[in-house]
């Protein structure tokens, strides 16, 4: 019974492993990944650093630490760890993609794109890399190519929230409002409480002249996130037009 109590979930399992084997890297790494899922950032960083101290030649340890550092905006240190992971394992597709993301956030766009493309050369079905490359492409006027990458990300991972969001915006930018609305509607079935999706479907509906439906989605976005200023501005812009149509 005691063994079952200790292993009742992943968090307590790896916490117990760390307590019993504090000098082994693997329990620290696994515990850190579980803590990260729980949003416990400071504890995550501590255990990832311990895993790396105990096994400095492990590319996954460098990659894991880079991930959590990126989440806290520490892109310079994250970049160093991704580079170290790639020195050890040059074909580490996830590290190429994450290094690209960190570099993009530091303004090193050209190198970032090279790493996104290298990630996809190594692993053509890496959804995050397709989404990240698509984001770069659409911001450089290559909407058609960006859409192809967003679609590929969603083919591989249909519940990729960022790709769902980005593809909808790309379709709206091309004036494909009906397709964008259908796309957002499907996305909302997966993420009914995603305030950005509600705001964006509201924008597409507003552009189509379906003001009452747009208002409904802006209001839903604000119900989910009351301080969502963009949805608030869109609602304020829409209400007078709705009143005129009544």
């Amino acid at each position: 019974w005691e063994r079952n109590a200790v292993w009742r979930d992943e968090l307590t399992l790896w916490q117990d492993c760390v307590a019993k084997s504090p000098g082994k890297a693997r329990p620290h790494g696994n515990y850190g990944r579980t803590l990260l899922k729980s949003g416990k950032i400071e504890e995550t960083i501590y255990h990832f650093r311990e895993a790396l101290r105990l096994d400095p030649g492990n590319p996954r340890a460098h990659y894991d630490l880079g991930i959590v550092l990126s989440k806290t905006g520490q892109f310079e240190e994250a970049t160093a760890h991704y580079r170290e992971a790639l020195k050890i394992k040059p074909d580490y597709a996830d590290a190429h993609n994450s290094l690209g993301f960190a570099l993009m956030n530091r303004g090193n766009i050209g190198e970032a794109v090279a790493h996104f493309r290298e990630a996809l050369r190594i692993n053509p079905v890496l959804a995050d890399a397709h989404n990240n490359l698509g984001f770069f492409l659409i911001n450089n006027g290559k909407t058609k190519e960006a859409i192809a990458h967003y679609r590929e990300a969603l083919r591989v991972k249909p519940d990729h929230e960022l790709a769902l969001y980005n593809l909808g915006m790309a379709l709206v930018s091309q004036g494909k409002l009906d397709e964008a609305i259908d796309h957002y509607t499907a996305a909302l079935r997966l993420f009914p409480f995603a305030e950005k999706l509600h705001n964006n479907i509201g924008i597409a509906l507003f552009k189509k002249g379906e003001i009452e439906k747009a208002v409904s989605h802006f209001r839903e976005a604000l119900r989910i996130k009351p301080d969502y200023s963009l949805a608030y501005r869109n609602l304020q812009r829409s209400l007078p037009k709705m009143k005129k149509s009544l």
Side-chain angles (χ1 to χ4, degrees):
W1 182 88
E2 286 182 8
R3 186 180 181 87
N4 287 339
V6 169
W7 288 17
R8 68 180 178 272
D9 60 42
E10 197 178 5
L11 198 63
T12 51
L13 164 63
W14 290 114
Q15 185 178 35
D16 182 62
C17 288
V18 167
K20 288 175 178 174
S21 302
K24 292 183 179 179
R26 183 168 174 262
H28 283 286
N30 286 333
Y31 188 37
R33 285 188 283 278
T34 307
L35 287 165
L36 185 58
K37 292 177 193 173
S38 305
K40 297 177 180 179
I41 301 297
E42 293 304 317
E43 288 181 71
T44 299
I45 291 173
Y46 169 78
H47 286 285
F48 282 166
R49 289 197 190 280
E50 274 298 285
L52 190 57
R53 182 183 67 81
L54 292 163
D55 188 6
N58 185 338
R60 177 66 185 271
H62 283 286
Y63 172 77
D64 283 341
L65 185 53
I67 289 291
V68 71
L69 290 169
S70 288
K71 284 184 179 291
T72 57
Q74 300 177 67
F75 293 111
E76 186 173 355
E77 188 181 354
T79 296
H81 284 289
Y82 294 138
R83 290 195 193 282
E84 195 60 33
L86 288 168
K87 278 183 191 175
I88 301 163
K89 189 181 181 198
D91 63 347
Y92 198 161
D94 286 302
H96 277 290
N97 175 60
S98 295
L99 175 56
F101 181 80
L103 288 166
M104 186 170 282
N105 278 278
R106 296 179 65 195
N108 298 346
I109 307 301
E111 190 182 357
V113 171
H115 281 286
F116 294 146
R117 293 196 186 280
E118 181 62 9
L120 289 171
R121 185 191 68 79
I122 296 164
N123 181 5
V125 293
L126 186 57
D128 285 346
H130 280 292
N131 179 69
N132 288 338
L133 184 55
F135 183 80
F136 161 77
L137 290 165
I138 202 161
N139 281 285
N140 284 270
K142 298 179 179 179
T143 305
K144 186 175 179 180
E145 193 179 344
I147 286 174
H149 281 285
Y150 292 144
R151 290 196 193 279
E152 183 60 16
L154 291 167
R155 185 189 69 78
V156 174
K157 191 173 186 237
D159 62 347
H160 194 299
E161 189 171 357
L162 278 175
L164 286 165
Y165 176 74
N166 289 335
L167 176 56
M169 287 198 300
L171 291 168
V172 169
S173 76
Q174 286 198 322
K176 297 178 179 178
L177 298 178
D178 288 330
E179 188 178 355
I181 289 164
D182 288 344
H183 169 76
Y184 281 135
T185 300
L188 281 169
R189 284 196 285 270
L190 292 170
F191 300 102
F193 303 110
E195 70 278 359
K196 288 183 179 180
L197 287 174
H198 280 287
N199 180 66
N200 279 27
I201 194 171
I203 291 169
L205 288 162
F206 182 88
K207 286 177 180 286
K208 270 200 76 181
E210 298 183 26
I211 308 301
E212 192 171 348
K213 289 181 181 178
V215 164
S216 174
H217 281 284
F218 294 141
R219 282 179 168 154
E220 182 62 13
L222 287 165
R223 187 189 68 78
I224 295 164
K225 189 180 181 187
D227 62 347
Y228 190 6
S229 59
L230 184 57
Y232 178 79
R233 289 197 300 272
N234 287 333
L235 179 61
Q236 294 306 305
R237 186 177 65 162
S238 302
L239 285 172
K241 290 185 178 291
M242 187 175 76
K243 288 174 184 175
K244 284 180 184 178
S245 68
L246 295 176

